[in-house]
Amino acid sequence: DAKTTQPPSMDCAEGRAANLPCNHSTISGNEYVYWYRQIHSQGPQYIIHGLKNNETNEMASLIITEDRKSSTLILPHATLRDTAVYYCIVRALFNKFYFGSGTKLNVKP
Amino acid sequence: GAGVSQSPRYKVTKRGQDVALRCDPISGHVSLYWYRQALGQGPEFLTYFNYEAQQDKSGLPNDRFSAERPEGSISTLTIQRTEQRDSAMYRCASSLAATYEQYFGPGTRLTVT
């Protein structure tokens, strides 16, 4: 599976949009982009995933570039409870997840 | 419904002892995954099952680690002759099928003294 590159940490003001970038320049055509987050010591929580098209659900939006070499997770109105480590994962179906180190998002009041 | 459960939540064992960690997936979930997570790092894949079949065990660090899911539901991760370097959080996840999102349990914190 393709590896991903994420900034180690980011800050965001409460109520503003949080835009978390992820580079996956070696992604293959059959690999999906997944985002999970981990709040404190809890288990990782699924957020969203996509293949080519942009995706939106009740938690976030996922924007994937046309060449699929990078993506951005958008939390439209960040709250203090969104403070967590966010993991960007690329994975072909039926393959294992490689979590990496993620981005620590600090939402500040 | 109930989420993924793991037991015990905490386990302290002496070096050289065997330990068995249990995972009870969400009812009806076909796929079950085991991960290990060191402090400050992301989860590291160990192995996964579809039903009772172990599909991928490439992440198991050595032959002291084994896992089974004999009836396609509950799974046990066994570590024989534990070593201090085995100390970590062990997490289990399940999904409806291999292509679906994974739901994680609370983990078992293993400490080897």
Side-chain angles (χ1 to χ4, degrees):
Chain A
D1 288 326
K3 295 291 177 64
T4 61
T5 304
Q6 299 178 254
S9 65
M10 291 182 62
D11 290 338
C12 178
E14 189 178 18
R16 306 297 292 267
N19 297 285
L20 292 95
C22 179
N23 286 322
H24 31 79
S25 58
T26 59
I27 192 169
S28 301
N30 64 342
E31 289 181 316
Y32 287 72
V33 180
Y34 288 78
W35 283 84
Y36 279 72
R37 73 179 181 183
Q38 191 167 23
I39 297 172
H40 197 46
S41 59
Q42 298 176 22
Q45 175 191 24
Y46 167 81
I47 302 174
I48 199 166
H49 76 282
L51 182 63
K52 295 181 184 177
N53 299 322
N54 298 336
E55 301 288 343
T56 296
N57 62 20
E58 65 278 4
M59 289 182 69
S61 295
L62 173 61
I63 309 298
I64 303 174
T65 58
E66 193 169 339
D67 63 7
R68 302 207 325 122
K69 293 182 185 298
S70 66
S71 60
T72 301
L73 178 75
I74 301 173
L75 307 178
H77 306 287
T79 70
L80 298 178
R81 289 176 296 179
D82 292 322
T83 292
V85 178
Y86 287 77
Y87 296 99
C88 169
I89 303 157
V90 292
R91 175 213 189 205
L93 296 182
F94 306 107
N95 284 4
K96 59 193 178 189
F97 277 67
Y98 176 79
F99 276 81
S101 299
T103 295
K104 177 69 165 60
L105 176 67
N106 298 300
V107 180
K108 301 188 173 184
Chain B
V4 178
S5 60
Q6 293 185 246
S7 61
R9 293 291 308 277
Y10 302 91
K11 177 70 177 177
V12 180
T13 190
K14 292 185 186 300
R15 184 165 50 93
Q17 297 293 306
D18 297 350
V19 294
L21 311 181
R22 173 184 165 128
C23 173
D24 201 338
I26 294 172
S27 178
H29 277 198
V30 167
S31 302
L32 185 148
Y33 304 79
W34 282 100
Y35 295 86
R36 178 171 68 175
Q37 187 169 20
L39 209 58
Q41 297 183 21
E44 172 194 9
F45 170 83
L46 295 177
T47 185
Y48 97 91
F49 294 81
N50 278 341
Y51 298 103
E52 72 283 358
Q54 192 169 20
Q55 298 293 322
D56 184 345
K57 56 181 181 178
S58 62
L60 296 176
N62 51 60
D63 59 9
R64 294 187 298 106
F65 287 72
S66 63
E68 62 174 10
R69 193 186 185 198
E71 297 178 2
S73 180
I74 294 168
S75 176
T76 303
L77 177 70
T78 302
I79 309 173
Q80 295 179 310
R81 306 180 302 281
T82 52
E83 301 177 5
Q84 284 190 318
R85 60 177 172 158
D86 300 333
S87 296
M89 176 72 83
Y90 288 83
R91 297 197 184 273
C92 173
S94 72
S95 63
L96 199 56
T99 58
Y100 288 75
E101 62 268 26
Q102 297 178 21
Y103 294 84
F104 282 78
T108 294
R109 169 72 66 190
L110 175 66
T111 302
V112 182
T113 61

